[in-house]
Amino acid sequence: EDQVTQSPEALRLQEGESSSLNCSYTVSGLRGLFWYRQDPGKGPEFLFTLYSAGEEKEKERLKATLTKKESFLHITAPKPEDSATYLCAVQADAGGTSYGKLTFGQGTILTVHP
Amino acid sequence: EAQVTQNPRYLITVTGKKLTVTCSQNMNHEYMSWYRQDPGLGLRQIYYSMNVEVTDKGDVPEGYKVSRKEKRNFPLILESPSPNQTSLYFCASSSPGQGRNIQYFGAGTRLSVL
């Protein structure tokens, strides 16, 4: 069974204080690992996809990295507008029908204070 | 504008009264999914569809039905809703083309079953 565990559950930062969110996963074979951002009352918004260990993706103050067991979302010099819930999800490489299946972690609630 | 549209956004109903939540996408995506999001449990997949007339169960399918008669629409049906189906529901769509399968989410439907 695919499993995704995110830590910490909640993270409070001061503006400009860099940190990292963790996503540990167990999957039979990884097709892709996804990071999403979710604002209160809204649907998840896609940030990154990572496909293989060693891969990195960057977007503004965010950088996602991937190893064979976990992914990190690094936030450099965060601003209050980065406050949101960050979700990690994995897609297993388990045959054609598995393309539609995503397993999500419970998310990390990030709060950035000015 | 590319989007996934869910209706209604908010719904209050009573136990046993059949309801349908509609989902439509305008991106010509093959895959569509339904998720529910509950505090402490995260996003869990209910059903997904790989294409017209092709559906499969996700992690929590009990009490739900789906149909995919057209590529753009994927309604979620609760034949006899119960209070434990009170939740925030999201529809998503994606396409596996070019090796990418990024799921794009709707804005959500908040359902309360009394």
Side-chain angles (χ1 to χ4, degrees):
Chain A
E1 182 181 338
D2 304 335
Q3 287 190 329
V4 179
T5 303
Q6 292 187 244
S7 62
E9 290 185 10
L11 181 63
R12 297 176 184 269
L13 300 174
Q14 289 297 126
E15 185 171 3
E17 180 187 3
S18 301
S19 188
S20 297
L21 313 182
N22 178 263
C23 171
S24 297
Y25 64 90
T26 303
V27 65
S28 53
L30 182 69
R31 174 174 283 149
L33 184 141
F34 301 79
W35 281 99
Y36 285 84
R37 169 190 171 129
Q38 186 176 23
D39 292 301
K42 295 189 176 182
E45 177 186 345
F46 170 75
L47 292 173
F48 303 108
T49 309
L50 302 166
Y51 294 102
S52 58
E55 189 174 359
E56 298 182 352
K57 294 274 181 72
E58 283 190 70
K59 180 180 179 181
E60 296 181 353
R61 295 176 293 281
L62 300 177
K63 178 181 177 180
T65 62
L66 180 66
T67 72
K68 289 186 178 180
K69 294 183 178 181
E70 58 190 349
S71 176
F72 291 94
L73 185 65
H74 306 278
I75 304 176
T76 302
K79 298 181 178 182
E81 53 261 43
D82 294 322
S83 296
T85 297
Y86 290 85
L87 301 170
C88 173
V90 296
Q91 187 174 71
D93 185 5
T97 60
S98 67
Y99 255 122
K101 195 173 189 319
L102 273 185
T103 301
F104 279 84
Q106 294 191 11
T108 294
I109 302 171
L110 174 66
T111 306
V112 182
H113 297 284
Chain B
E1 179 187 355
Q3 59 185 5
V4 178
T5 303
Q6 297 178 229
N7 280 297
R9 292 291 316 281
Y10 303 92
L11 180 59
I12 301 174
T13 190
V14 296
T15 299
K17 186 177 181 181
K18 180 179 178 180
L19 67 90
T20 300
V21 183
T22 64
C23 175
S24 179
Q25 52 95 1
N26 63 0
M27 295 170 278
N28 200 36
H29 284 167
E30 292 86 355
Y31 288 84
M32 297 186 75
S33 295
W34 276 103
Y35 296 84
R36 61 178 289 173
Q37 188 172 37
D38 302 289
L41 296 176
L43 271 164
R44 294 177 294 167
Q45 197 167 35
I46 303 171
Y47 270 97
Y48 59 101
S49 169
M50 289 69 74
N51 216 321
V52 175
E53 303 291 1
V54 183
T55 62
D56 205 352
K57 296 178 181 178
D59 296 317
V60 287
E62 294 77 20
Y64 303 94
K65 286 178 58 178
V66 292
S67 68
R68 187 94 180 272
K69 296 187 182 343
E70 303 169 282
K71 194 173 185 179
R72 65 182 290 126
N73 296 322
F74 191 43
L76 179 69
I77 303 159
L78 284 71
E79 294 270 2
S80 183
S82 62
N84 64 12
Q85 293 178 298
T86 293
S87 187
L88 179 58
Y89 291 87
F90 289 101
C91 179
S93 74
S94 63
S95 174
Q98 301 179 348
R100 295 164 62 87
N101 192 28
I102 299 164
Q103 294 203 10
Y104 296 92
F105 286 79
T109 295
R110 188 168 292 280
L111 172 65
S112 294
V113 183
L114 305 177

